[in-house]
Amino acid sequence: MAAEVPGKSQESAKKDGLAARLARDVTGDVLFDAFSRGRYATDASFYQIMPYGVVVPRTMDEALRALAIARDDGLKVTPRGGGTSQCGQTVNDGLVVDLSKHLNRILSLDVEGRTCVVEPGIVLDDLNRQLKKHGLWFPVDVSTASRATIGGMASNNSCGGRSLRYGTMRDNTLSMEAALADGTLSRFGEVSRDLSDLDANDGARALFRDMLDLGAREADEIAARFPKVQRRVGGYNIDALVPRNARNNMAHLLVGSEGTLAFTTKVELKLWPVIRNKALGICHFGSFYEAMDAAQHLVKLKPIAVELVDRTMLALGRDIAMFRPIISAAIKGDPDAVLMVEFAEEDQADNFVRLKQLGELMGDLGFGWNNDKRKWGGVVEITEPALQGGIADFRAAGLNVMMSMKQEGKPVSFVEDCAVPLPHLADYTARLNEVFAKHGTSGTMYAHASEGCLHVRPVLNLKLEKDVRAMRAIAEEAFELVREYKGSHSGEHGDGLVRSEFHATMFGERLVADFRKVKQRFDPDGVLNPGKIVDAPRMDDRSLFRFKPEYRVAELKTKLDWSAYPGAGGGFQGAVEMCNNNGACRKLEGGVMCPSYRATRNEKDVTRGRANTLRLAISGQLGAGALSSDEMMETLKLCVSCKACRHECPVGVDMAKMKIEVLAARAASHGLTLRDRLVGYLPRYAGLASRFAPLANLRNSSPLLRKLFERFAGISARRALPAFRSDVFAPPIEAVGPETGREVVLFADTFNRIYERENLEAALRVLAAGGYRVHLPKPASGSRPLCCGRTFLSAGLVDEAKSELDRLVAAFAPFAARGIPIVGLEPSCLLTLRDELASLRRDDDAKAVGAHALTFEEFLVREAEAGRLQLPLGTVADKALVHGHCHQKSFGAFKPVEQVLRLIPSLKVEAIESSCCGMAGAFGYGAGTYDASIEMAELSLLPAVRRADQNTLIVADGTSCRHQIHDGAEREALHVARVLAMSLDRAKTQSTTTPLAKETSHG
């Protein structure tokens, strides 16, 4: 026996030995530390089970070697994709094998035959992006399509919103290749019942024979007990084994098996032509019951989907910035519920006919806009593709929208996707609401009305024993209703830990015994994801919950205002706990979130992973001092504070703000590094550096100094720092422009003031030419210019940042009190006044300054639309390629950039579909973050800039963005103010001039 390592337990030594063995055989990540394991302890359910370890294999051979090593060590193995399961399918205490990072390729594609073979880790949206150029798509369009992997979808038998036309995952899976727990690799596909088409030496032949015999033996019981609804994904699909015809598809037994029978290595999929034309009818109802009753009639028009959104979801959506305009455009009046009826015929004229028929049908059912509440309603027709897309995004975000409640109680998934026959849907939902009320709660409802499958979530606080007891009682009573209506207790999201326990009452003991036989035959030692489908724990076993009985968060001191949330730290706990693990931050394209994950695809580097780590840290599950530990700093290392999560996370997890709290805790406990001081205190020493600019800039020209800066200050030798200049922006007067002009304040931020004064001068020219009296306020005392404190926040120096903001508010508040706009050029600085300022000061002066803060482009568009701005603009170029700053996108301030540029005559404006540029203030200068910075930029920004011809203007408002573009693509990017100033100059030499106010409609 090996000697035990001093100071280590036998279990710890065993774990180290297994990790070392895996590391020798696997080139991918082997993660056995507490922080990493904690990030894989949860999925989108309310469960949390700490895994023994995590492997992220680079190849499928490595994945299968990990399986073999774990089996030899007596460990369970749980394969994992996006980790978005609602029922706890992807959590276990063994080895988690994450297939999403590397095993995500299309292995083959038959365009003519409309099939493809993929690795299980490929994300649905990524697959469909690659298929789209061939006119094909995979239509099991789950709401989590931006992060759900095909392997996970197959494991759960996912359905999607359009299963009315396309069917479920099972209907679209042609074959699978998978390894059994003992390592045997087999193809599961269509076979003849006599297995004559299999080689006599095929290792799967005996297994298939046993399964087909079971299907024949149990055919009558299956026919009697399996629910007769399409949305049935509970238990094992042993109905695929019954002798209906001469052939059976053995892959359909693996579909929905939740990783408990075999380890999937390949999936062959059936593909469909892309939908080319769509029309959407939003059916409004004054009564939820009437909406549910109408669903059975609406499906007769053969739509591809009928999706429900209830009053609660509409109300929550109106409070979310990204969805507010969509709801305003699509919703009329104050409906109790709406049914979104989607048609997708090849000929758009046919879709319009269906819309007309839909309106007529609603009338035939007795609904009208002038009727009383019970029969109030009608159809709003949506034919504009962009609005259709926005509505689809809102519906897809339904889960997260529901979870955006900031209270302790949240809508909980456990009876969420029960399915009943459509004629019973109205009565079922009415009786279910009575069950909720009986137990002191209410529920939210949305989703697939066309299938009788609603996402129903009662609001409960699972930290409270009484609410856990209520959950248990609601589950039992709800499932009893489902059985009464001959429905399925698991209609879309599978079984996992939530529903497996209830199979005996749903299917009967005989079929559950058959399920056990299947599991035993496939996996006799119980290696593969045990505890799901068969031999499950009680669903209300609190030892398996995310919030276990002993879960506590000790009081902690925080620097920012978190009062909108409950819990310790003035609400910091509640803000952290908002993350429901649904994984919207794992999307790979569209929007900005999460740029570091897009570059690394590591769970550590996604907003969800960071939020989980914070929750575990503040609740003591990662040991003392975890919040300010080195491991926490590593967790947040690649967070670029882009604020995209603040805008794009449907539950509003603001990791940039949370990072400030962590950095403040770190500074308090560990002090500041030299790099922290150089970055944070920049506004304080910038004046001195400018007076000795040649000396201050020596580092850029000296290889030795670059190396010393890298070693002692952590600043990459591969970057040139922005050059200080002696001619900083320091106007001698406090106002320019006509004395009788409308007033505006120009905020001269630190970065433009000391590095690029041309931008501020250009802005002054533009504003003065527009007839404005531009104020340049100075601090009430002292000569040091005003600053927003942004650099101090980035170093966790919150008190110093507040000191700077106090000076700024004192100077700007008198103007704000008179209603004068405060305009800034640097998005991160100006928008600090709309964001962090409110977290540091709640007084009227601070609120007024924040309310009057506008980006340069927001101000110009507002003034132009009001008819108050006239500018003579001339042609400057044929095309402008524009990169939006992260904070502009987060605060909805990017569209005005495009609007303003489109006012320049003959200028074609194209926005780069980019996430964060990767520079993110000081992030891109860090020795430890330089590579990640470049990776982020190379995802889309730099390739787009390189493709642009030399006559195309490159436009970027962010100082960091311009530097990244210069360093990475050797192109000069201009601030919008500079482009407008150029346009003013050209107008003097061109005969064509354009008044800006008359052109805003083009935006």
Side-chain angles (χ1 to χ4, degrees), residues 577-706:
E577 291 173 356
M578 284 296 293
C579 178
N580 60 34
N581 283 285
N582 197 248
C585 42
R586 285 173 63 98
K587 63 184 177 183
L588 299 173
E589 286 195 12
V592 178
M593 181 177 71
C594 174
S596 51
Y597 174 74
R598 294 183 186 193
T600 71
R601 298 206 184 183
N602 291 327
E603 185 68 20
K604 173 177 70 70
D605 300 319
V606 72
T607 304
R608 177 180 76 177
R610 295 174 183 130
N612 273 323
T613 308
L614 284 172
R615 176 178 52 78
L616 292 167
I618 64 176
S619 58
Q621 297 179 68
L622 295 175
L627 187 63
S628 59
S629 65
D630 292 346
E631 293 88 347
M632 183 61 75
M633 297 308 296
E634 184 65 24
T635 299
L636 293 174
K637 178 180 177 179
L638 299 189
C639 173
V640 293
S641 298
C642 64
K643 297 181 185 286
C645 50
R646 173 192 176 279
H647 176 65
E648 295 175 31
C649 171
V651 297
V653 173
D654 189 345
M655 191 50 60
K657 186 177 176 182
M658 293 175 187
K659 184 176 180 178
I660 292 171
E661 288 289 4
V662 176
L663 291 172
R666 175 76 175 189
S669 62
H670 289 70
L672 297 175
T673 65
L674 176 58
R675 182 174 181 275
D676 291 335
R677 295 181 185 279
L678 287 173
V679 171
Y681 284 91
L682 172 65
R684 302 272 175 90
Y685 67 75
L688 180 63
S690 68
R691 287 199 292 272
F692 299 96
L695 185 62
N697 294 329
L698 272 179
R699 177 262 176 200
N700 284 349
S701 57
S702 166
L704 175 61
L705 286 177
R706 285 194 179 214

Side-chain angles (χ1 to χ4, degrees), residues 189-505:
E190 203 171 79
V191 297
S192 61
R193 286 201 65 82
D194 62 5
L195 301 178
S196 58
D197 47 354
L198 287 187
D199 187 279
N201 296 320
D202 192 318
R205 187 183 179 97
L207 174 65
F208 291 178
R209 178 75 278 150
D210 290 346
M211 292 298 102
L212 293 173
D213 287 348
L214 183 147
R217 187 170 63 248
E218 298 295 334
D220 291 343
E221 185 73 4
I222 290 169
R225 297 302 300 256
F226 268 45
K228 305 299 188 293
V229 291
Q230 185 190 34
R231 293 287 185 127
R232 182 206 61 74
V233 300
Y236 290 126
N237 290 328
I238 59 175
D239 58 323
L241 305 174
V242 302
R244 291 197 184 95
N245 50 49
R247 301 184 69 78
N248 292 75
N249 193 326
M250 303 307 295
H252 293 174
L253 182 58
L254 295 189
V255 172
S257 64
E258 303 187 350
T260 63
L261 298 183
F263 192 102
T264 303
T265 60
K266 297 177 183 177
V267 187
E268 183 184 13
L269 303 172
K270 176 183 178 181
L271 306 178
W272 295 71
V274 294
I275 296 175
R276 302 194 181 279
N277 295 301
K278 288 189 291 188
L280 193 62
I282 310 295
C283 297
H284 291 55
F285 299 88
S287 159
F288 184 88
Y289 183 93
E290 292 291 340
M292 296 300 90
D293 190 55
Q296 61 185 306
H297 305 292
L298 301 184
V299 297
K300 294 173 183 175
L301 294 177
K302 300 191 181 305
I304 66 169
V306 180
E307 297 287 291
L308 164 72
V309 175
D310 74 354
R311 173 184 294 277
T312 303
M313 185 171 168
L314 289 173
L316 290 169
R318 288 187 180 101
D319 288 336
I320 298 172
M322 65 189 297
F323 295 132
R324 191 177 302 119
I326 295 166
I327 295 172
S328 296
I331 302 302
K332 180 176 180 177
D334 185 28
D336 206 34
V338 298
L339 292 177
M340 300 176 173
V341 183
E342 185 177 47
F343 301 104
E345 301 305 311
E346 187 68 25
D347 188 336
Q348 185 73 320
D350 292 336
N351 292 324
F352 295 152
V353 170
R354 298 288 180 90
L355 277 184
K356 182 181 178 183
Q357 292 172 342
L358 181 65
E360 292 170 349
L361 178 56
M362 285 287 286
D364 292 342
L365 293 173
F367 296 100
W369 295 117
N370 298 319
N371 292 355
D372 61 17
K373 182 176 176 60
R374 179 173 165 270
K375 284 293 185 177
W376 175 87
V379 180
V380 172
E381 298 182 356
I382 308 292
T383 57
E384 204 272 315
L387 183 53
Q388 289 177 357
I391 293 168
D393 289 343
F394 172 60
R395 223 303 292 148
L399 165 65
N400 281 328
V401 171
M402 291 300 188
M403 295 298 287
S404 65
M405 297 178 179
K406 294 179 179 178
Q407 64 204 43
E408 288 273 19
K410 297 285 193 299
V412 179
S413 171
F414 61 101
V415 293
E416 179 182 15
D417 56 330
C418 300
V420 299
L422 272 181
H424 301 303
L425 186 59
D427 286 339
Y428 166 70
T429 53
R431 292 175 67 186
L432 194 58
N433 276 324
E434 292 173 3
V435 171
F436 295 162
K438 171 184 171 183
H439 295 285
T441 186
S442 59
T444 61
M445 298 189 185
Y446 68 101
H448 317 301
S450 59
E451 303 280 5
C453 178
L454 298 184
H455 293 333
V456 180
R457 292 185 164 217
V459 177
L460 297 167
N461 179 4
L462 295 188
K463 295 176 183 175
L464 304 178
E465 180 61 32
K466 70 176 183 66
D467 280 21
V468 175
R469 288 196 300 270
M471 178 179 71
R472 176 83 197 186
I474 291 170
E476 292 175 350
E477 294 175 39
F479 295 156
E480 185 177 339
L481 285 177
V482 171
R483 289 193 297 276
E484 179 183 333
Y485 290 119
K486 301 188 184 307
S488 170
H489 69 321
S490 185
E492 181 173 26
H493 292 154
D495 299 326
L497 297 169
V498 171
R499 280 187 282 269
S500 297
E501 174 195 352
F502 297 98
H503 286 338
T505 52

Side-chain angles (χ1 to χ4, degrees), residues 747-814:
F747 172 27
D749 64 273
T750 299
F751 303 106
N752 282 301
R753 186 173 52 77
I754 65 175
Y755 296 130
E756 296 181 83
R757 62 175 291 172
E758 295 83 2
N759 295 330
L760 289 164
E761 290 166 346
L764 282 175
R765 284 186 56 208
V766 171
L767 292 171
Y772 290 88
R773 181 67 171 173
V774 187
H775 296 281
L776 297 158
K778 295 186 182 299
S781 60
S783 60
R784 183 163 51 82
L786 296 173
C787 171
C788 70
R790 177 91 256 153
T791 60
F792 289 111
L793 291 172
S794 71
L797 298 170
V798 179
D799 292 337
E800 297 290 349
K802 184 176 182 301
S803 174
E804 294 296 331
L805 283 167
D806 287 344
R807 297 172 67 244
L808 183 146
V809 168
F812 285 177

Side-chain angles (χ1 to χ4, degrees), residues 26-104:
V26 174
T27 62
D29 298 326
V30 176
L31 309 169
F32 274 64
D33 64 285
F35 278 68
S36 295
R37 290 186 296 118
R39 287 186 276 269
Y40 283 86
T42 49
D43 55 13
S45 69
F46 54 82
Y47 295 106
Q48 175 180 300
I49 303 175
M50 192 69 75
Y52 199 77
V54 179
V55 170
V56 187
R58 288 185 180 275
T59 67
M60 192 56 72
D61 284 344
E62 288 188 357
L64 296 180
R65 284 204 293 275
L67 170 62
I69 291 169
R71 181 187 64 238
D72 292 347
D73 228 54
L75 273 188
K76 307 166 187 175
V77 174
T78 298
R80 178 167 163 133
T84 60
S85 295
Q86 298 292 311
C87 306
Q89 288 95 326
T90 60
V91 294
N92 227 320
D93 58 4
L95 185 71
V96 170
V97 181
D98 183 350
L99 304 173
S100 66
K101 180 175 181 178
H102 299 295
L103 301 175
N104 47 33

